[in-house]
C-alpha cells in the first residue's frame, strides 16, 4: 500500500495543481482530478473492501497504466522490440477496423 502511494507521489511530483494555472475545458477537469487524487473511505474497519475499491478506481482512472509506463528499471532491447511489434500490430488492426467502419458508414449513408 505504501509503495503504491510512494509511486503515485513520485509520478505526479510536487503538487502540480499549485504551480500551474488551470486551463479551460477538459484539461481543467483532468488537472483538478489529478490534484484531488483517489480517495477511499474505510467503513467498519473493512480494509480489504476499501483496497478493492481503490484498485477499481485506479484502473478506471488510468493511474495504473501511468505507473506501469513510468518504469524505473531497464528494459532489454529484445523486450523493446517485442513491445514495439505488438504496438504496431495493435495500431494497424485499429486503423484497418476504422477503414472498414468508414466504408460501411459511407455505404449506409449513400443507401447502397
Amino acid at each position: 500500500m505504501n509503495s503504491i502511494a510512494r509511486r503515485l507521489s513520485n509520478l505526479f511530483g510536487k503538487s502540480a495543481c499549485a504551480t500551474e494555472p488551470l486551463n479551460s475545458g477538459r484539461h481543467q477537469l483532468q488537472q483538478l482530478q489529478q490534484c484531488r487524487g483517489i480517495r477511499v473511505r474505510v467503513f467498519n474497519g473493512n480494509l480489504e473492501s476499501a483496497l478493492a475499491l481503490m484498485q477499481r478506481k485506479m484502473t478506471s482512472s488510468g493511474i495504473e497504466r501511468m505507473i506501469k509506463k513510468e518504469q524505473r528499471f531497464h528494459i532489454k532491447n529484445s523486450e523493446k522490440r517485442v513491445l514495439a511489434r505488438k504496438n504496431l500490430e495493435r495500431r494497424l488492426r485499429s486503423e484497418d477496423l476504422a477503414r472498414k467502419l468508414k466504408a460501411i458508414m459511407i455505404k449506409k449513408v449513400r443507401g447502397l
Side-chain angles (χ1 to χ4, degrees), residues 70-84:
E70 188 77 21
Q71 292 177 340
R72 301 282 182 196
F73 53 88
H74 176 72
I75 299 176
K76 296 191 303 186
N77 287 337
S78 60
E79 291 179 21
K80 286 181 185 177
R81 282 193 298 270
V82 169
L83 289 173

Side-chain angles (χ1 to χ4, degrees), residues 8-101:
L8 288 175
S9 66
N10 289 340
L11 185 63
F12 292 119
K14 306 276 190 229
S15 181
C17 57
T19 58
E20 297 177 12
L22 291 177
N23 296 333
S24 62
R26 182 174 170 84
H27 186 266
Q28 182 180 9
L29 178 63
Q30 183 181 12
Q31 196 170 11
L32 182 63
Q33 287 175 346
Q34 284 182 354
C35 293
R36 288 190 316 203
I38 293 179
R39 296 173 189 229
V40 178
R41 288 188 180 169
V42 179
F43 293 107
N44 299 329
N46 195 351
L47 190 61
E48 294 300 319
S49 66
L51 284 173
L53 179 62
M54 185 184 77
Q55 183 72 24
R56 282 197 303 269
K57 283 186 174 186
M58 283 178 63
T59 348
S60 66
S61 66
I63 290 179
E64 256 186 349
R65 274 181 267 123
M66 290 172 62
I67 291 174
K68 286 180 182 177
K69 196 175 186 181
E70 188 77 21
Q71 292 177 340
R72 301 282 182 196
F73 53 88
H74 176 72
I75 299 176
K76 296 191 303 186
N77 287 337
S78 60
E79 291 179 21
K80 286 181 185 177
R81 282 193 298 270
V82 169
L83 289 173
R85 191 186 78 237
K86 286 183 180 180
N87 286 336
L88 175 66
E89 289 172 357
R90 187 181 308 120
R91 194 180 79 230
L92 290 176
R93 242 180 291 136
S94 174
E95 289 173 358
D96 189 37
L97 178 63
R99 206 175 301 114
K100 287 177 183 178
L101 287 174

